């Protein structure tokens, strides 16, 4: 027996330094949705404030934009602490599922050097700890 649900999708854009929050639905009969990018919008951040129970996989170019923003003091503040945690969590989850190259989440991990909020740090710590545990249990762990 399988169950399907309609899923609310929240997303956020930044246009001329003004945030715009919007919502749409992924209906139970849909496998994906297209969110139109408005004029002057460089990117769309999906799952505002990490409220939805789903991971979002962006195009590699968008992942790289987000990773660069997270490493830049002025740009990082454009994301809420929950959004920063969400990006870190999704990047590591998708890499673990072989849906994203690990180079992307490791770029996000670099941003933790300048992170001052506990929520992104907690997410980053547990993601890196999971990798450490996997490596420690590998046959070559004595070489680490």
């Amino acid at each position: 027996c399988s169950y399907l649900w309609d899923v609310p999708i929240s997303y956020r854009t930044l246009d001329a330094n003004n945030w715009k929050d919007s919502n749409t639905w992924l209906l139970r009969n849909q496998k994906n949705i297209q969110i139109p990018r408005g004029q002057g919008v460089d990117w769309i951040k999906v799952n505002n404030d990490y409220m939805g129970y789903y991971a979002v996989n962006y195009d590699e170019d968008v992942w790289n934009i987000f990773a660069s923003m997270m490493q830049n003091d002025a740009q990082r503040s454009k994301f809420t602490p929950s959004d920063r945690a969400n990006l870190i969590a999704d990047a590591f989850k998708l890499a673990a599922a072989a849906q994203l190259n690990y180079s992307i989440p490791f770029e996000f991990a670099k941003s933790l050097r300048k992170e001052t909020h506990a929520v992104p740090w907690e997410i980053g710590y547990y993601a890196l700890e999971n990798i450490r545990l996997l490596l420690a249990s590998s046959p070559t762990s004595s070489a680490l």
Side-chain angles (χ1 to χ4, degrees):
C1 181
S2 81
Y3 296 96
L4 298 173
W5 292 273
D6 294 341
V7 179
I9 305 293
S10 62
Y11 60 97
R12 177 174 287 151
T13 59
L14 182 65
D15 179 10
N17 293 323
N18 296 313
W19 285 109
K20 181 179 178 194
D21 290 348
S22 302
N23 295 294
T24 191
W25 288 87
L26 176 65
L27 302 177
R28 68 190 73 192
N29 62 340
Q30 295 176 298
K31 291 189 186 264
N32 56 51
I33 58 170
Q34 294 288 325
I35 299 173
R37 194 170 74 190
Q39 189 105 27
V41 173
D42 291 330
W43 48 263
I44 298 170
K45 163 60 179 81
V46 181
N47 196 3
N48 297 356
D49 293 322
Y50 205 2
M51 298 299 287
Y53 192 69
Y54 52 86
V56 178
N57 198 356
Y58 300 95
D59 292 336
E60 189 171 335
D61 291 344
V62 176
W63 276 118
N64 287 322
I65 290 169
F66 288 163
S68 293
M69 290 176 71
M70 296 266 287
Q71 293 178 39
N72 178 294
D73 290 335
Q75 296 288 314
R76 184 177 48 259
S77 64
K78 292 183 179 183
F79 296 114
T80 66
S82 295
D83 278 338
R84 296 193 303 267
N86 177 221
L87 289 167
I88 293 167
D90 282 358
F92 276 98
K93 281 189 269 185
L94 290 163
Q99 299 299 307
L100 187 64
N101 187 297
Y102 264 104
S103 64
I104 301 290
F106 288 139
E107 285 299 312
F108 281 93
K110 289 179 186 178
S111 71
L112 294 172
R113 289 182 281 185
K114 296 182 178 184
E115 182 59 63
T116 59
H117 199 278
V119 174
W121 256 110
E122 184 174 1
I123 297 295
Y125 169 79
Y126 284 112
L128 292 169
E129 179 65 6
N130 283 335
I131 291 170
R132 188 194 69 77
L133 291 172
L134 286 171
L135 292 174
S137 65
S138 73
T140 58
S141 65
S142 61
L144 296 177

